[in-house]
Amino acid sequence: MTIASTQIKGLTLEEFLQQDYIDESPAYEYIDNQIIRKPMPQGKHSQIQYKICETINQLSEKEKIVYALPELRCSFSNRSIVPDIAVFYWARIPLDNQGEIANQFNSYPDWTIEILSPNQTPTRVIDNILFCLENGSQLGWLIDSQEKIIMVFQPEKPLKIYRQDETLPIIENMDLSITSNHIFSWLKIK
């Protein structure tokens, strides 16, 4: 089933989460009583998404600091969003009764990363990042591969745009030094 972005009167977050179509790709999100479909990721988006998850997880999984998950549905505070990358502190990863990672994450990510897709307006993506920060996230990145910039959002700090060799802020307790140039270098397949 394919539905357009639409406002559904009376549909609650719980009812939205019961719909079969929300697991289609690309994902549907529930924001302000609207069902909104994310754009389909393309090559640059997918490459950056994969490399960021790989880099974070290789660095922090062994020590159980944080874990990065792509396209993970996070439902909290009457929204259900699907950040391109959701990073959770290890202790905040929900587990099921068997001690395995849970299917449902009913919380904000500690670090939310969005990668702007072609023809995607940044307004809705920025709104989701700010919503995450208002509800407990420590850090938000918006990566624009066309402009080769990364917008960084942090609670109680002004928006900052990072270019080239400036070291990007990282979530607390994680030892990673990375620049915009490093991230955008992943777009060149060697």
Side-chain angles (χ1 to χ4, degrees):
M1 172 184 188
T2 302
I3 64 168
S5 296
T6 184
Q7 185 155 3
I8 309 264
K9 300 281 188 212
L11 186 69
T12 66
L13 174 60
E14 292 76 22
E15 292 167 334
F16 167 76
L17 292 172
Q18 298 302 314
Q19 304 302 309
D20 293 334
Y21 60 81
I22 68 168
D23 292 326
E24 291 178 5
S25 181
Y28 289 94
E29 296 181 311
Y30 180 85
I31 301 167
D32 298 329
N33 295 325
Q34 289 186 8
I35 298 171
I36 300 160
R37 192 165 204 182
K38 292 185 72 169
M40 179 62 89
Q42 295 181 10
K44 292 180 183 192
H45 179 287
S46 294
Q47 177 69 3
I48 290 172
Q49 183 180 33
Y50 170 77
K51 293 297 281 183
I52 289 175
C53 286
E54 178 185 53
T55 300
I56 290 170
N57 292 339
Q58 282 181 350
L59 184 67
S60 64
E61 185 175 8
K62 187 175 181 181
E63 290 82 22
K64 298 182 179 179
I65 300 167
V66 297
Y67 199 70
L69 296 158
E71 303 294 330
L72 176 71
R73 179 170 303 283
C74 300
S75 301
F76 59 97
S77 298
N78 206 33
R79 275 196 192 188
S80 184
I81 61 172
V82 182
D84 292 325
I85 302 169
V87 182
F88 280 83
Y89 279 114
W90 201 270
R92 292 192 63 244
I93 297 172
L95 304 175
D96 64 17
N97 293 337
Q98 290 78 39
E100 297 175 349
I101 190 168
N103 279 326
Q104 294 183 355
F105 278 59
N106 296 319
S107 185
Y108 57 87
D110 294 297
W111 175 9
T112 183
I113 302 172
E114 295 285 1
I115 304 157
L116 205 57
S117 295
N119 302 321
Q120 183 180 27
T121 60
T123 308
R124 191 173 311 276
V125 180
I126 291 171
D127 180 54
N128 276 348
I129 292 170
L130 293 174
F131 186 79
C132 286
L133 293 175
E134 290 166 3
N135 284 280
S137 295
Q138 287 184 12
L139 182 62
W141 283 5
L142 175 56
I143 299 171
D144 185 334
S145 61
Q146 182 175 341
E147 298 291 330
K148 302 288 190 273
I149 62 169
I150 299 176
M151 295 181 215
V152 174
F153 301 81
Q154 293 176 284
E156 300 178 25
K157 290 187 178 180
L159 165 68
K160 184 163 182 199
I161 296 176
Y162 287 78
R163 297 174 173 87
Q164 301 172 354
D165 289 323
E166 296 176 275
T167 301
L168 291 157
I170 302 298
I171 197 165
E172 291 178 15
N173 301 325
M174 189 177 168
D175 187 23
L176 173 65
S177 181
I178 195 165
T179 67
S180 297
N181 275 352
H182 188 154
I183 288 172
F184 295 121
S185 75
W186 293 329
L187 296 175
K188 294 186 191 243
I189 302 295
K190 297 174 177 94

